[in-house]
Amino acid sequence: MTLAWSDGGPTNAEQVTRSVDLDAAPAEVWGALTEEALLGEWLADEVELEAEPGGEIVCRYADGKERRGEVELVEEAERLAWSWRREDGEGPSRVELVLDAVADTRTRLTVIETAPLRVSGPLLAAGAWGPPLARLRAAVGLVLA
């Protein structure tokens, strides 16, 4: 389930971008993005992730909703991307997590979610990534950018 992309990026899409500055080196932050137990503290109540291209991601939420997808890109301690969709049939979106070293012991994590224009929903709302990133900050002592 990969979103259609042109050479210049997604076509006919909307995009939400959020960043958070973390008081940890990129290698340490990588664990919070790829280890299921840590993902369960900030992304969804329960997360299954095979952090390799073609691997599966499953996010289960307390309200019983679920999102499933496929990992597209893994560049250890640098970038992780997947496409996913809601189980209720709403359209797909693509999430890319980008890690940038800001200083020796700080990392800026940027979340970019892209979806076709026809898709709307809570994860593409203006503040949609705010609560998960706040939970991530609380879980590993982060400072919101």
Side-chain angles (χ1 to χ4, degrees), residues 105-125:
T105 59
R106 292 182 57 84
T107 302
R108 177 164 294 130
L109 170 65
T110 302
V111 179
I112 305 160
E113 186 167 14
T114 308
L117 285 176
R118 69 181 184 280
V119 176
S120 63
L123 288 181
L124 286 177

Side-chain angles (χ1 to χ4, degrees), residues 10-130:
T11 57
N12 297 322
E14 65 178 322
Q15 190 171 79
V16 171
T17 302
R18 293 288 179 263
S19 294
V20 64
D21 283 354
L22 316 172
D23 287 323
E28 295 171 300
V29 174
W30 187 251
L33 305 182
T34 57
E35 295 175 21
E36 293 174 351
L38 295 174
L39 282 165
E41 291 185 29
W42 69 274
L43 182 60
D45 296 291
E46 183 182 333
V47 180
E48 296 174 26
L49 174 67
E50 297 172 61
E52 58 188 47
E56 184 177 29
I57 182 168
V58 179
C59 295
R60 294 181 185 90
Y61 301 91
D63 63 4
K65 293 185 179 178
E66 190 172 280
R67 291 179 70 101
R68 291 182 170 269
E70 182 178 325
V71 175
E72 296 178 358
L73 174 71
V74 178
E75 294 175 2
E76 190 167 339
E78 293 181 14
R79 291 179 13 171
L80 175 67
W82 67 80
S83 288
W84 61 354
R85 71 180 325 113
R86 294 178 185 91
E87 288 298 298
D88 62 10
E90 283 199 38
S93 65
R94 182 179 192 271
V95 174
E96 183 171 358
L97 307 175
V98 180
L99 295 126
D100 291 306
V102 177
D104 289 341
T105 59
R106 292 182 57 84
T107 302
R108 177 164 294 130
L109 170 65
T110 302
V111 179
I112 305 160
E113 186 167 14
T114 308
L117 285 176
R118 69 181 184 280
V119 176
S120 63
L123 288 181
L124 286 177
W129 279 97

